[in-house]
Amino acid sequence: MPDTIPIDDPDDERLGDYRALTDLALRTRFEQPHGLFIAEGRQVVSRALRAGYRMRSMLIDAKRADQLAGLAEGAPCYTAGPEVLESVTGFHVHRGALASFHRKALPAPARILEDARRLVVLEGMNNHTNIGAIFRVVAGLGFDGVLLAPDCADPLYRRSVRVSMGEVFAIPYTYLDPWPDGLKDLKHAGFTLIGLSPSAGAVDLRRISAADRERPALMFGAEGPGLTAAALAACDRTAVIPMHAGVDSLNVAAATSVACWELSQAEPRD
């Protein structure tokens, strides 16, 4: 087992990367400006390493050191008891492992457009659980990348990473700025912008033509407000998922699942 560094003082400055992980405002001010993110759990940490992210340090439950310390790969590996872990992080670390990683520079949008055939585009998405679930959908249903409006939340926030099961590391993504003018670049690259919205004129998702399925860019807005008028105006098509029993809509992550599966099929259906 690699050497570990026991810590019994929750105020130890070496644990600064892991402090107050449940405080969204504090973490937002700390993580992105310092080029860091936190991964939680063996599987997610392993996937971050496999994707080429460089570990800065690791913090694990002392009782599970023999199982988890090997993930540290040369970075400092701190161990602590449950009380210290909870005092530092603000929650019970039941997965036993946390790791601080250095971020990578985000690619230019043009790089993603060059390599992708199917995309998901998000606007106003500030729910980290939904963002994580959407990245898992994108990975699982064969889409190639995610573009985010500047007002979207951080996909590498701990909750997003956890909900995505680490798939956020496997999917190319970046922010599209300026917004919504940057959507013109998608059209120039040959993508068909399809906004998911129950607005007037939206067509049944199942009837999107074969031509529009060749290079779709599916656009989703936040739950409640949906896509803004400016984003809808930029769309080539608007589509709606047919609903039953008086239900007006699906959760946005569920809607993304349905839409990505349908648009991964080559032909429309009756």
Side-chain angles (χ1 to χ4, degrees):
M1 184 179 71
D3 291 339
T4 57
I5 305 168
I7 292 182
D8 57 13
D9 179 3
D11 293 324
D12 192 306
E13 63 182 14
R14 290 172 292 182
L15 302 186
D17 286 3
Y18 305 97
R19 206 162 300 286
L21 293 183
T22 59
D23 187 329
L24 174 59
L26 185 151
R27 300 307 303 184
T28 299
R29 292 195 302 269
F30 176 78
E31 290 183 11
Q32 284 184 300
H34 288 81
L36 303 174
F37 70 89
I38 300 296
E40 179 183 358
R42 175 194 288 273
Q43 186 177 49
V44 173
V45 171
S46 296
R47 288 183 174 176
L49 291 168
R50 191 163 63 242
Y53 287 91
R54 183 164 60 92
M55 186 184 290
R56 174 177 161 99
S57 68
M58 196 166 180
L59 174 61
I60 59 178
D61 188 330
K63 293 180 180 179
R64 299 179 63 183
D66 58 337
Q67 305 168 35
L68 299 170
L71 294 172
E73 293 200 349
C77 183
Y78 306 117
T79 63
E83 297 80 7
V84 172
L85 291 174
E86 186 166 354
S87 179
V88 172
T89 65
F91 69 98
H92 175 59
V93 186
H94 62 277
R95 288 178 176 81
L98 295 164
S100 174
F101 282 91
H102 296 276
R103 292 176 182 245
K104 298 178 183 180
L106 292 178
R111 178 63 183 273
I112 293 180
L113 298 182
E114 179 183 357
D115 296 336
R117 182 167 162 256
R118 300 187 185 104
L119 292 172
V120 164
V121 184
L122 305 178
E123 180 188 44
M125 198 77 64
N126 283 300
N127 183 297
H128 293 95
T129 299
N130 284 336
I131 286 182
I134 287 170
F135 269 85
R136 193 172 181 185
V137 166
V138 168
L141 294 179
F143 275 60
D144 304 310
V146 176
L147 295 174
L148 303 108
D151 60 355
C152 287
D154 177 18
L156 291 185
Y157 181 66
R158 180 179 58 91
R159 187 178 301 136
S160 298
V161 170
R162 186 182 71 235
V163 172
S164 81
M165 294 300 293
E167 296 299 345
V168 67
F169 307 135
I171 297 299
Y173 77 90
T174 197
Y175 290 89
L176 189 61
D177 195 12
W179 181 271
D181 288 348
L183 292 170
K184 296 175 183 176
D185 294 338
L186 278 72
K187 295 186 180 186
H188 293 156
F191 287 90
T192 301
L193 272 61
I194 303 172
L196 269 289
S197 171
S199 56
V203 301
D204 186 322
L205 180 68
R206 296 169 296 184
R207 295 187 170 88
I208 295 292
S209 71
D212 288 345
R213 292 168 184 250
E214 290 183 4
R215 295 195 80 191
L218 290 173
M219 295 177 55
F220 301 88
E223 289 191 45
L227 291 167
T228 62
L232 286 170
C235 291
D236 300 297
R237 311 279 182 272
T238 53
V240 63
I241 298 170
M243 305 297 293
H244 299 272
V247 177
D248 61 352
S249 64
L250 298 174
N251 163 273
V252 68
T256 306
S257 301
V258 173
C260 285
W261 184 87
E262 176 60 40
L263 271 293
S264 68
Q265 310 306 302
E267 298 289 337
R269 296 181 294 139
D270 292 334

